[in-house]
Amino acid sequence: MLLITMLTLGYLAGGMREQEMREIKLHGVTKLGLKNIIDFIYTSKVNLDMVNLQETLEAANFLQVMPVLSFCNQLLSSEITIDNCGEVERIATDLLLKDLQLNIGEFVRQNLSALVECGRYLQLSETSMANALAKNSLQGFSELELYHIAKGWLEYDYPNRRSSVYGLMRHIRFPLMSPSELIQISQDDEEGAESMMRSDTACVNLLLEASNYQMMPFMQPALQTERTQIRSDDTHILALGGVMRQQLVVSRELRLYDEKSGIWRALKPMEVPRYQHGVALLGGFLFIVGGQSTYDTKGKTAIDTAYRYDPRFDKWLQIASLNEKRTFFHLSALKGKLFAVGGRNTSGEIDTVECYNLRKNEWTFVTNMVEPHYGHAGTVHGNLMYISGGITRDTFQKELWCYDPAADKWSRRSDMMELRGLHCMCTAGERLYVMGGNHFRGSSDYDDVLGCEFYSPDTDQWSVVAPMPRGQSDVGVTVFEGQIYVVWGYSWNSRCMVDIVQRYDPEKDVWERVFNVLEPLGGIRACTMTVHLPEGSVDEAQIQECPLPTDKS
Ligand SMILES: *[C@@H]1O[C@H](CO)[C@@H](O)[C@H](O)[C@H]1NC(C)=O
Ligand SMILES: *[C@@H]1O[C@H](CO)[C@@H](O)[C@H](O)[C@H]1NC(C)=O
């Protein structure tokens, strides 16, 4: 304890008025620490080393001298090692140094395997262990390995750590383990001297949750918890399917664009080739529905099959087929269900709408569209699905329709400014953008629509934005890091499938051609998804020069 006159502390006492208080008492502050702080106040310099650091920190913390605190924070953060991280963590916790705690958390995540190897992880606090185990970016371990790390930490001092079992185990992603791994865990737990999981109801529930998840594969997108998330924070643009320009071969590829290295990488290909299909994300799964497996422009080969991609395991699963074959249609995920809207088949345009129920793995019809449509586009905003444009009885439309799944009703909203079909639509913030597509020029010939516009649901109004530099119809569209990417497709003005990706920045209202892609593909689809980044690049030998004319407009 130290007595100190107000005079020297005038700077520190801030709000207190001198005449009211002549003396204050400082608890938990040492001479050395205080001397360092006072030196700092007079000289703006502070002498720090690992020896006086803790005392200085305590004094700085007590007196809330922010520049010294943040400097100590930085120094300690830069000095974290495998050997001292337990000690640094203790200082951070004692002094409530939030930044330092975060940095230790990050250090533990990045160096967990070294910490485990030398046993230093056993000295870490429950908070650090839990924070590391909770991270999506914790890579290089199987969930079973993480379970054993948690178990090792708990067993190291079981009498004192017994109460932390659920606190750690709740971060192990048991649903992502294989059934045999789960059985192994249950058996070990029964045979072990201490039954860690079984002695805690909450932990037993973790194992039950995992076995439920595995027993109901079709329900998985609806059973998402923090434990079913993919252990990755690699979020990328994915492109799937499409028809190649040269050979008119339909692609099975599922690819992602790795922006860091600027290359396309291959994920597990689809089981069947697809183009003009519907894609939607639900519960961290990617669904692809309908479309065509062979090239024809009239939708004669429309199909009804549907698949689901699980990025956690890079695996496909076939789900229930649509009741009707459809291509050139729209698919949205809305309120935990999928909606397949309109399209066409061999006999012509379709007005039916089907809804996929995960619980039953079944498609059922809901209220039809007022008119049949194909080549329309759609998006979701605030629990409603919006469908724009498309082709009805061989005529391009500018209508906007809104579907409310709760009421199972369609209602009409303000028309777009342009007629368009085979365009794309997406939601960015409170704006529903429509871009590209084509329509008739005169009475017979097709023309790219370069104009772009957005709809504001609040005001039921359309506004024009910057036009696309190059026409793209029958494309994939996705929003990635706040920017809208329009990928591949067909240009009517150039009469060929295009090999470009154009990007729109909604804040700046500018378009940019961002990169060229492999072979030109039409009827391709895109989405943005978190996956495990695969190794290797897609063979670029296949890139073919597309003799597109230079920019018009
Ligand atoms: C911790 O991990 C990071 C990232 O892998 C690495 O750069 C760093 O050298 C590691 N630190 C120690 C002390 O091993
Ligand atoms: C095409 O769609 C129409 C309208 O939904 C339907 O009546 C017809 O059976 C479908 N034809 C084929 C071959 O599936």
Side-chain angles (χ1 to χ4, degrees):
M1 202 212 286
L2 262 165
L3 280 172
I4 176 165
T5 63
M6 246 336 270
L7 225 56
T8 44
L9 276 177
Y11 166 85
L12 306 167
M16 289 183 276
R17 285 193 288 141
E18 274 178 52
Q19 57 270 44
E20 283 170 12
M21 263 192 101
R22 305 246 47 109
E23 290 181 336
I24 53 167
K25 291 176 182 184
L26 302 179
H27 300 267
V29 176
T30 65
K31 238 181 193 160
L32 177 64
L34 189 66
K35 181 181 180 307
N36 246 352
I37 294 300
I38 290 173
D39 285 350
F40 169 76
I41 291 163
Y42 284 116
T43 64
S44 298
K45 283 188 192 129
V46 62
N47 254 334
L48 279 187
D49 52 43
M50 291 308 269
V51 180
N52 70 18
L53 186 99
Q54 179 160 356
E55 291 177 28
T56 308
L57 252 176
E58 277 166 3
N61 189 55
F62 186 85
L63 301 166
Q64 289 294 297
V65 184
M66 288 311 175
V68 178
L69 269 182
S70 91
F71 186 69
C72 290
N73 248 327
Q74 276 172 24
L75 181 77
L76 277 175
S77 298
S78 65
E79 295 289 323
I80 306 172
T81 65
I82 300 289
D83 289 332
N84 75 9
C85 72
E87 180 66 10
V88 175
E89 186 198 17
R90 203 183 49 70
I91 298 175
T93 314
D94 286 353
L95 299 179
L96 294 172
L97 302 175
K98 286 273 177 318
D99 289 352
L100 185 56
Q101 281 172 321
L102 286 178
N103 287 331
I104 292 169
E106 186 54 23
F107 180 87
V108 172
R109 179 190 70 76
Q110 286 183 0
N111 299 279
L112 188 61
S113 60
L115 285 164
V116 167
E117 213 159 279
C118 68
R120 287 278 176 191
Y121 81 108
L122 296 170
Q123 265 86 45
L124 293 171
S125 70
E126 178 189 342
T127 309
S128 285
M129 287 300 290
N131 285 346
L133 292 173
K135 289 251 160 46
N136 282 336
S137 49
L138 184 63
Q139 284 172 12
F141 296 93
S142 69
E143 293 303 321
L144 187 62
E145 285 165 339
L146 294 176
Y147 165 77
H148 282 296
I149 291 171
K151 190 160 177 268
W153 184 90
L154 292 162
E155 280 171 350
Y156 179 70
D157 184 7
Y158 197 53
N160 288 314
R161 293 181 178 179
R162 183 191 293 271
S163 61
S164 307
V165 175
Y166 180 69
L168 291 198
M169 290 304 178
R170 60 186 282 256
H171 299 299
I172 305 297
R173 304 186 181 181
F174 293 104
L176 305 188
M177 291 184 184
S178 70
S180 64
E181 287 173 333
L182 285 172
I183 291 169
Q184 185 73 48
I185 287 174
S186 304
Q187 281 175 351
D188 288 355
D189 201 55
E190 263 167 50
E191 284 158 14
E194 303 277 8
S195 60
M196 210 173 260
M197 298 292 285
R198 251 184 325 135
S199 58
D200 186 333
T201 334
C203 290
V204 172
N205 285 339
L206 293 178
L207 296 177
L208 283 177
E209 174 192 58
S211 74
N212 273 346
Y213 190 76
Q214 284 168 0
M215 282 191 301
M216 298 188 277
F218 297 112
M219 286 265 290
Q220 285 173 358
L223 299 175
Q224 293 300 300
T225 68
E226 57 186 306
R227 284 171 291 278
T228 58
Q229 308 296 301
I230 185 170
R231 272 279 182 203
S232 168
D233 54 7
D234 274 312
T235 302
H236 299 279
I237 296 173
L238 268 61
L240 62 166
V243 59
M244 284 173 239
R245 180 178 52 163
Q246 306 289 346
Q247 312 84 341
L248 298 179
V249 172
V250 181
S251 163
R252 298 168 57 217
E253 298 302 326
L254 173 61
R255 294 162 175 165
L256 72 83
Y257 185 68
D258 178 5
E259 324 75 57
K260 280 200 202 91
S261 55
I263 56 174
W264 290 86
R265 298 178 188 273
L267 293 162
K268 177 97 169 168
M270 296 184 282
E271 292 184 11
V272 288
R274 283 299 166 109
Y275 85 115
Q276 316 282 26
H277 44 308
V279 301
L281 296 184
L282 188 56
F285 290 80
L286 169 64
F287 289 84
I288 65 138
V289 176
Q292 291 167 243
S293 282
T294 45
Y295 180 75
D296 88 82
T297 54
K298 299 263 182 276
K300 282 188 291 218
T301 55
I303 46 184
D304 52 11
T305 53
Y307 295 83
R308 185 186 89 187
Y309 174 74
D310 186 351
R312 299 160 192 79
F313 304 104
D314 194 23
K315 261 194 186 149
W316 288 93
L317 173 73
Q318 182 163 12
I319 62 163
S321 296
L322 291 161
N323 294 300
E324 283 203 288
K325 297 176 170 162
R326 54 183 90 221
T327 183
F328 289 107
F329 71 108
H330 176 73
L331 185 75
S332 265
L334 184 56
K335 297 196 97 179
K337 292 178 173 167
L338 298 176
F339 291 86
V341 182
R344 63 179 296 161
N345 64 22
T346 183
S347 358
E349 300 159 6
I350 301 178
D351 60 4
T352 61
V353 181
E354 299 186 49
C355 170
Y356 177 70
N357 184 331
L358 295 167
R359 287 171 201 282
K360 298 186 181 154
N361 185 33
E362 182 181 83
W363 293 89
T364 48
F365 288 108
V366 294
T367 303
N368 287 358
M369 303 185 83
V370 173
E371 300 262 22
H373 285 79
Y374 79 95
H376 46 292
T379 191
V380 162
H381 177 270
N383 285 331
L384 299 170
M385 173 171 61
Y386 292 83
I387 299 288
S388 64
I391 299 150
T392 299
R393 293 187 241 298
D394 291 326
T395 311
F396 284 92
Q397 303 295 323
K398 52 166 72 166
E399 302 165 354
L400 177 69
W401 288 93
C402 177
Y403 178 73
D404 178 355
D408 188 22
K409 270 199 181 123
W410 289 93
S411 55
R412 188 152 176 193
R413 300 290 161 96
S414 296
D415 284 355
M416 292 185 287
M417 305 201 185
E418 300 240 39
L419 299 167
R420 56 179 103 215
L422 298 167
H423 54 300
C424 61
M425 189 169 185
C426 67
T427 303
E430 292 302 305
R431 295 174 170 191
L432 279 49
Y433 286 92
V434 295
M435 304 171 146
N438 58 278
H439 57 205
F440 284 131
R441 176 174 49 201
S443 57
S444 58
D445 207 5
Y446 295 102
D447 200 12
D448 286 335
V449 180
L450 299 176
C452 299
E453 46 190 311
F454 72 83
Y455 176 74
S456 305
D458 275 359
T459 55
D460 189 31
Q461 271 173 357
W462 289 92
S463 315
V464 173
V465 295
M468 312 173 84
R470 177 72 54 80
Q472 280 176 282
S473 285
D474 203 5
V475 292
V477 66
T478 189
V479 180
F480 177 69
E481 294 179 345
Q483 313 260 303
I484 300 168
Y485 288 76
V486 182
V487 309
W488 278 276
Y490 189 85
S491 162
W492 278 99
N493 295 7
S494 314
R495 286 280 183 281
C496 83
M497 285 163 200
V498 295
D499 59 350
I500 58 170
V501 175
Q502 297 185 108
R503 173 172 65 199
Y504 176 73
D505 183 336
E507 296 228 320
K508 299 195 185 116
D509 188 29
V510 284
W511 280 94
E512 193 183 354
R513 174 165 167 168
V514 274
F515 45 79
N516 284 2
V517 288
L518 305 170
E519 69 278 20
L521 290 161
I524 192 167
R525 297 294 177 254
C527 67
T528 297
M529 205 176 183
T530 304
V531 297
H532 291 298
L533 192 65
E535 302 280 312
S537 100
V538 176
D539 183 13
E540 306 226 5
Q542 291 183 47
I543 296 185
Q544 294 165 3
E545 280 301 302
C546 179
L548 274 178
T550 49
D551 283 11
K552 316 169 145 203
S553 77

